[in-house]
Amino acid sequence: MVCWGVFLASGVRRYARAALAILAALGLAAGIAVSAGLLAGKPPPDLGLRSAGGQTLLKAPSPSPNSVSSQADLPLYASHPQRDYARIAPLRYKGDGPAALQRLAQVLEKMERTKLTQRSPSYLRAESSTAWMGFTDDLEFWLDEPASVIHLRSGSRLGRKDFGANRERVERIRALFSQAV
């Protein structure tokens, strides 16, 4: 009986060591992937403004639940599979539109892990990376002066789900933008 117990105990120890070795290897692989930028992905080639049916549009919402867009309610996207998930309000402003876009650019430049990559009189593009694994998300903003809003889109480059990260980031931007008045 004692011998059987010793045998079981040594078997459990062997499996525990193997499990720890596997976890260490996975941790090392994840660390290498993060430091090499493998989880950053590449920017989608279709970012930027486009025109359709007399409307200025940002990139469409993603077909999977990993983006938000203030243009998700447009009739063009009426049958979009992620319309409800992607729906988010644009940034509203009062007064001078170019000054509001400049204020937004300043907000983005002050945010951690966020880099402004494109700037024009009516459009901003930024990249933001997550703190934990370094995933990169693309953000776009278009100044719609007649409506006194800045339309926006934030989408993940990799993965099928964003677990609310894009919505959370946009709401943080909204709060900072409102405070910067």
Side-chain angles (χ1 to χ4, degrees), residues 104-111 114 116 124 126 139 141 173:
L104 176 59
Q106 291 170 347
V107 165
L108 294 171
E109 288 170 338
K110 290 178 184 175
M111 290 182 68
T114 300
L116 199 54
L124 298 175
L139 295 94
F141 302 90
I173 290 168

Side-chain angles (χ1 to χ4, degrees), residues 24-40:
L26 288 173
L28 180 63
I32 290 169
V34 168
S35 64
L38 298 177
L39 301 178

Side-chain angles (χ1 to χ4, degrees), residues 108-126:
L108 294 171
E109 288 170 338
K110 290 178 184 175
M111 290 182 68
E112 284 187 69
R113 298 177 310 279
T114 300
K115 176 175 65 172
L116 199 54
T117 58
Q118 188 176 343
R119 188 180 202 156
S120 75
S122 65
Y123 178 80
L124 298 175
R125 185 170 158 259

Side-chain angles (χ1 to χ4, degrees), residues 49-122:
L49 299 175
R50 63 193 50 69
S51 204
Q55 293 181 304
T56 302
L57 302 172
L58 297 168
K59 179 178 168 77
S62 298
S64 58
N66 67 357
S67 72
V68 294
S69 172
S70 63
Q71 295 183 326
D73 276 333
L74 292 175
L76 175 69
Y77 304 124
S79 61
H80 193 283
Q82 295 302 323
R83 184 179 192 179
D84 290 338
Y85 184 86
R87 185 179 292 124
I88 196 165
L91 301 176
R92 300 199 181 284
Y93 68 88
K94 291 182 181 173
D96 184 46
L101 197 64
Q102 172 62 29
R103 189 169 83 233
L104 176 59
Q106 291 170 347
V107 165
L108 294 171
E109 288 170 338
K110 290 178 184 175
M111 290 182 68
E112 284 187 69
R113 298 177 310 279
T114 300
K115 176 175 65 172
L116 199 54
T117 58
Q118 188 176 343
R119 188 180 202 156
S120 75
S122 65

Side-chain angles (χ1 to χ4, degrees), residues 4 22 26 47 60 79 83 109 115 133 142 156 162 170:
W4 187 249
I22 290 170
L26 288 173
L47 293 175
S79 61
R83 184 179 192 179
E109 288 170 338
K115 176 175 65 172
M133 294 291 283
W142 169 60
S156 302
D162 71 350
V170 167

